Amino acid sequence: DAGVIQSPRHEVTEMGQEVTLRCKPISGHNSLFWYRQTMMRGLELLIYFNNNVPIDDSGMPEDRFSAKMPNASFSTLKIQPSEPRDSAVYFCASSGGTGTWAEAFFGQGTRLTVV
Amino acid sequence: SQQGEEDPQALSIQEGENATMNCSYKTSINNLQWYRQNSGRGLVHLILIRSNEREKHSGRLRVTLDTSKKSSSLLITASRAADTASYFCATGAGNMLTFGGGTRLMVKP
């Protein structure tokens, strides 16, 4: 398996633009997490899906952020409109267990820069 | 919000020495996991210890868990330059896997 695949690897966009980050989890995994990493705030859990259903989105910072998982092999994180403070590395991770009982496999991340 | 807090934030040692990193957390957990992150890369799982376990080994890694003190430690023995990375503890509780701020380890050859 190629592991968790995220695209794009790097994204530079202007403030106000819509940004869509994509994630392909490991086949057969039923849990998917989106994290954001910054120097100031470290790794923050944004949202957690189990069997394609959003279970906990309490970490989503505000309404500008939305996430979907239309099927077991694809998820998106959208920011509309983007702001400079959204600049961070966004990670997607998947797990074969339920919730937090199994190890999480991380993608390489998308480095987002909003100018 | 971060559940776990690692200590120290940065650690510099010579190759061959042991490295010890500590993690403290605040609420009840199902398990505690340690991850490693090389610069510019995603996190890689190292080891998971369940709340009813006290110690676990994996190769050169030794993890302890003290639920009464809400703390864990990661020991890397006989460190190598390739161990240079950031190390994070993550606490699992319910549906949340929450990471601490990490310890940046530098192993000098």
Side-chain angles (χ1 to χ4, degrees), chain B residues 5-27:
Chain B
E5 293 294 335
E6 283 90 341
D7 169 57
Q9 291 187 340
L11 180 61
S12 181
I13 59 174
Q14 293 294 136
E15 205 166 27
E17 294 180 340
N18 295 341
T20 300
M21 289 159 268
N22 302 298
C23 169
S24 59
Y25 57 93
K26 298 174 184 174
T27 63

Side-chain angles (χ1 to χ4, degrees), chain B residues 2-109:
Chain B
Q2 295 178 16
Q3 158 78 306
E5 293 294 335
E6 283 90 341
D7 169 57
Q9 291 187 340
L11 180 61
S12 181
I13 59 174
Q14 293 294 136
E15 205 166 27
E17 294 180 340
N18 295 341
T20 300
M21 289 159 268
N22 302 298
C23 169
S24 59
Y25 57 93
K26 298 174 184 174
T27 63
S28 296
I29 61 173
N30 299 326
N31 63 73
L32 188 143
Q33 305 180 31
W34 284 90
Y35 287 78
R36 164 190 168 134
Q37 183 181 34
N38 287 80
S39 180
R41 307 293 294 272
L43 281 75
V44 175
H45 181 266
L46 294 176
I47 195 165
L48 180 154
I49 185 166
R50 300 185 186 279
S51 59
N52 61 353
E53 297 177 310
R54 292 296 168 259
E55 187 171 314
K56 203 162 185 179
H57 297 256
S58 176
R60 293 184 296 113
L61 306 180
R62 172 178 170 255
V63 169
T64 62
L65 178 64
D66 187 334
T67 53
S68 66
K69 295 181 179 178
K70 291 186 169 57
S71 68
S72 173
S73 67
L74 171 67
L75 168 68
I76 303 175
T77 60
S79 64
R80 305 167 182 168
D83 294 329
T84 295
S86 290
Y87 292 82
F88 295 86
C89 69
T91 50
N95 295 321
M96 304 286 286
L97 186 61
T98 310
F99 286 81
T103 293
R104 294 186 307 279
L105 173 66
M106 175 173 287
V107 181
K108 301 175 184 176

Side-chain angles (χ1 to χ4, degrees), chain A residues 21 34-46 65 77 85-92 106-112, chain B residues 2 35-43 86-88 99-104:
Chain A
L21 311 181
W34 280 100
Y35 287 89
R36 176 173 69 176
Q37 186 177 36
T38 62
M39 288 294 292
M40 291 296 294
R41 300 176 66 87
L43 265 165
E44 301 173 279
L45 176 63
L46 300 178
F65 285 69
L77 178 67
R85 61 193 169 118
D86 301 331
S87 298
V89 180
Y90 290 80
F91 288 102
C92 174
F106 280 74
Q108 293 301 301
T110 294
R111 182 174 296 277
L112 174 65
Chain B
Q2 295 178 16
Y35 287 78
R36 164 190 168 134
Q37 183 181 34
N38 287 80
S39 180
R41 307 293 294 272
L43 281 75
S86 290
Y87 292 82
F88 295 86
F99 286 81
T103 293
R104 294 186 307 279

Side-chain angles (χ1 to χ4, degrees), chain A residues 23-39:
Chain A
C23 175
K24 182 180 187 309
I26 292 174
S27 177
H29 281 188
N30 58 2
S31 293
L32 184 139
F33 306 84
W34 280 100
Y35 287 89
R36 176 173 69 176
Q37 186 177 36
T38 62
M39 288 294 292

